[in-house]
Each structure stands twice: as structure tokens, then as C-alpha cells.
Amino acid sequence: MGRIPHQVFNCSAGCTVEATLNLIGGKWKGVILYRLLAGQVLRFNELRRLLPNITQRMLTNQLRELERDGLIARKVYPEVPPKVEYRLTDYGQTLAPVILALKAWGDTHVAKTAAPQEQAI
């Protein structure tokens, strides 16, 4: 049985880290936010192409959660076939330093972990 996340974050120091991770945590949300940060406005299928390992259902669920939390905005155009665009909200844009810091740390981590493997060859 998994750990039940807090519903109210009026707890000890560090609890706000948990609150942030509840919003952007998981395998795909950070990557979706990064792609929207870099691409400004993306359609659903553009996101699918940028994230080839995500299923359509998972992408839909993650986008719905990000929209529910006010981090992205969804715009539906009344066309056939339907055209849906996603963009970061102003609130979602405030995560830019966090997402970019995660990317910078990840770049360093990947370079660090790749270096020993290259030396072994």
C-alpha cells in the first residue's frame, strides 16, 4: 500500500518540497513542463512525438492533472478533427527556474555517469 500524500501542507520544514513534488513529480510531468517551456504552445500530437515512450492515456492523464493544478492551459478549437493546444500558464511559468535547474543537474549527472563507462571501454 502506497504512502498517502498530505492534503494540507502546514507541517514541518520540507513539507513544501513535498507539495511541489506532488505537482511536478512523476516520470512525465517534469518533461511535459520542460517541453512546454521550450516550445511555448504545443498540440497534443506534437507532445506525443516529443515523448515517444509515453502512452496516449498517460499523456492525457498527466496533462489533465497539470491543467487541474493550474500549471498549463488547454485550448480547444471547434474544428474537425479537433485541434487542442497546450501552453504553460503564468503560474506554470514560475516553475521555469525549477525545471531548468533540474535539467542542468540532469545534464551534469548524465555526463558524470557516462564518463566512467567510457573509460571502461
Side-chain angles (χ1 to χ4, degrees):
M1 183 164 162
R3 187 168 169 254
I4 299 171
H6 289 93
Q7 298 300 316
V8 178
F9 296 97
N10 58 354
C11 48
S12 64
C15 197
T16 54
V17 173
E18 183 182 0
T20 304
L21 290 174
N22 279 342
L23 291 176
I24 65 169
K27 184 174 180 178
W28 297 108
K29 286 183 183 179
V31 180
I32 292 168
L33 291 168
Y34 176 74
R35 292 300 186 173
L36 289 172
L37 183 66
Q40 300 297 317
V41 176
L42 293 172
R43 294 179 63 182
F44 184 86
N45 282 330
E46 290 174 317
L47 282 166
R48 284 216 49 208
R49 277 191 290 279
L50 291 169
L51 309 169
N53 295 326
I54 193 171
T55 64
Q56 182 170 339
R57 181 174 184 217
M58 179 59 75
L59 179 58
T60 299
N61 288 340
Q62 298 293 277
L63 289 168
R64 284 181 184 156
E65 288 179 21
L66 290 166
E67 183 183 13
R68 181 198 66 212
D69 293 332
L71 299 175
I72 65 170
R74 177 178 185 255
K75 184 173 183 180
V76 180
Y77 293 89
E79 300 176 359
V80 176
K83 177 182 173 183
V84 181
E85 293 180 338
Y86 296 91
R87 67 170 179 79
L88 288 179
T89 62
D90 290 340
Y91 184 53
Q93 288 282 349
T94 64
L95 283 168
V98 175
I99 300 299
L100 295 174
L102 285 169
K103 183 190 180 310
W105 188 91
D107 290 343
T108 303
H109 173 71
V110 168
K112 179 181 175 182
T113 56
Q117 292 173 0
E118 290 172 358
Q119 291 173 354
I121 294 176

PDB file of all heavy atoms in Angstrom, residues 76-77 79 83 92 104 106 110 119:
ATOM      1  N   VAL A  76      -9.145  24.382 -26.860  1.00  0.00           N
ATOM      2  CA  VAL A  76      -9.760  23.503 -27.858  1.00  0.00           C
ATOM      3  C   VAL A  76     -10.365  24.378 -28.949  1.00  0.00           C
ATOM      4  O   VAL A  76     -11.125  25.301 -28.664  1.00  0.00           O
ATOM      5  CB  VAL A  76     -10.853  22.619 -27.221  1.00  0.00           C
ATOM      6  CG1 VAL A  76     -11.486  21.718 -28.266  1.00  0.00           C
ATOM      7  CG2 VAL A  76     -10.298  21.813 -26.065  1.00  0.00           C
ATOM      8  N   TYR A  77     -10.011  24.079 -30.187  1.00  0.00           N
ATOM      9  CA  TYR A  77     -10.570  24.790 -31.325  1.00  0.00           C
ATOM     10  C   TYR A  77     -11.722  23.969 -31.885  1.00  0.00           C
ATOM     11  O   TYR A  77     -11.600  22.752 -32.041  1.00  0.00           O
ATOM     12  CB  TYR A  77      -9.500  24.994 -32.408  1.00  0.00           C
ATOM     13  CG  TYR A  77      -8.399  25.916 -31.974  1.00  0.00           C
ATOM     14  CD1 TYR A  77      -7.270  25.424 -31.330  1.00  0.00           C
ATOM     15  CD2 TYR A  77      -8.481  27.280 -32.214  1.00  0.00           C
ATOM     16  CE1 TYR A  77      -6.246  26.279 -30.932  1.00  0.00           C
ATOM     17  CE2 TYR A  77      -7.471  28.143 -31.822  1.00  0.00           C
ATOM     18  CZ  TYR A  77      -6.361  27.630 -31.183  1.00  0.00           C
ATOM     19  OH  TYR A  77      -5.357  28.480 -30.783  1.00  0.00           O
ATOM     20  N   GLU A  79     -13.015  22.515 -34.406  1.00  0.00           N
ATOM     21  CA  GLU A  79     -12.720  22.058 -35.758  1.00  0.00           C
ATOM     22  C   GLU A  79     -12.892  20.554 -35.834  1.00  0.00           C
ATOM     23  O   GLU A  79     -12.955  19.878 -34.820  1.00  0.00           O
ATOM     24  CB  GLU A  79     -11.255  22.369 -36.129  1.00  0.00           C
ATOM     25  CG  GLU A  79     -10.866  23.806 -36.090  1.00  0.00           C
ATOM     26  CD  GLU A  79      -9.384  23.992 -36.384  1.00  0.00           C
ATOM     27  OE1 GLU A  79      -8.668  22.991 -36.604  1.00  0.00           O
ATOM     28  OE2 GLU A  79      -8.948  25.147 -36.384  1.00  0.00           O
ATOM     29  N   LYS A  83      -8.685  20.244 -32.716  1.00  0.00           N
ATOM     30  CA  LYS A  83      -7.347  20.808 -32.529  1.00  0.00           C
ATOM     31  C   LYS A  83      -7.272  21.272 -31.090  1.00  0.00           C
ATOM     32  O   LYS A  83      -8.087  22.074 -30.648  1.00  0.00           O
ATOM     33  CB  LYS A  83      -7.127  21.978 -33.487  1.00  0.00           C
ATOM     34  CG  LYS A  83      -5.807  22.680 -33.320  1.00  0.00           C
ATOM     35  CD  LYS A  83      -5.692  23.859 -34.291  1.00  0.00           C
ATOM     36  CE  LYS A  83      -4.451  24.661 -34.015  1.00  0.00           C
ATOM     37  NZ  LYS A  83      -4.368  25.834 -34.903  1.00  0.00           N
ATOM     38  N   GLY A  92       2.370  28.440 -14.192  1.00  0.00           N
ATOM     39  CA  GLY A  92       3.275  27.386 -14.639  1.00  0.00           C
ATOM     40  C   GLY A  92       4.639  27.940 -15.037  1.00  0.00           C
ATOM     41  O   GLY A  92       5.668  27.301 -14.823  1.00  0.00           O
ATOM     42  N   ALA A 104      19.707  21.184 -15.701  1.00  0.00           N
ATOM     43  CA  ALA A 104      21.149  21.400 -15.510  1.00  0.00           C
ATOM     44  C   ALA A 104      21.749  20.296 -14.646  1.00  0.00           C
ATOM     45  O   ALA A 104      22.820  19.755 -14.953  1.00  0.00           O
ATOM     46  CB  ALA A 104      21.399  22.775 -14.888  1.00  0.00           C
ATOM     47  N   GLY A 106      20.537  17.297 -14.248  1.00  0.00           N
ATOM     48  CA  GLY A 106      20.483  16.069 -15.039  1.00  0.00           C
ATOM     49  C   GLY A 106      21.590  15.992 -16.070  1.00  0.00           C
ATOM     50  O   GLY A 106      22.182  14.928 -16.282  1.00  0.00           O
ATOM     51  N   VAL A 110      24.208  12.967 -16.019  1.00  0.00           N
ATOM     52  CA  VAL A 110      24.394  12.081 -17.169  1.00  0.00           C
ATOM     53  C   VAL A 110      25.851  12.092 -17.615  1.00  0.00           C
ATOM     54  O   VAL A 110      26.428  11.037 -17.898  1.00  0.00           O
ATOM     55  CB  VAL A 110      23.443  12.482 -18.324  1.00  0.00           C
ATOM     56  CG1 VAL A 110      23.810  11.788 -19.617  1.00  0.00           C
ATOM     57  CG2 VAL A 110      22.003  12.166 -17.937  1.00  0.00           C
ATOM     58  N   GLN A 119      35.463   5.256 -19.909  1.00  0.00           N
ATOM     59  CA  GLN A 119      36.823   4.883 -19.539  1.00  0.00           C
ATOM     60  C   GLN A 119      36.990   3.366 -19.501  1.00  0.00           C
ATOM     61  O   GLN A 119      38.070   2.862 -19.731  1.00  0.00           O
ATOM     62  CB  GLN A 119      37.179   5.490 -18.176  1.00  0.00           C
ATOM     63  CG  GLN A 119      37.304   6.996 -18.220  1.00  0.00           C
ATOM     64  CD  GLN A 119      37.499   7.604 -16.831  1.00  0.00           C
ATOM     65  OE1 GLN A 119      37.425   6.890 -15.838  1.00  0.00           O
ATOM     66  NE2 GLN A 119      37.729   8.889 -16.798  1.00  0.00           N
TER      67      GLN A 119
END
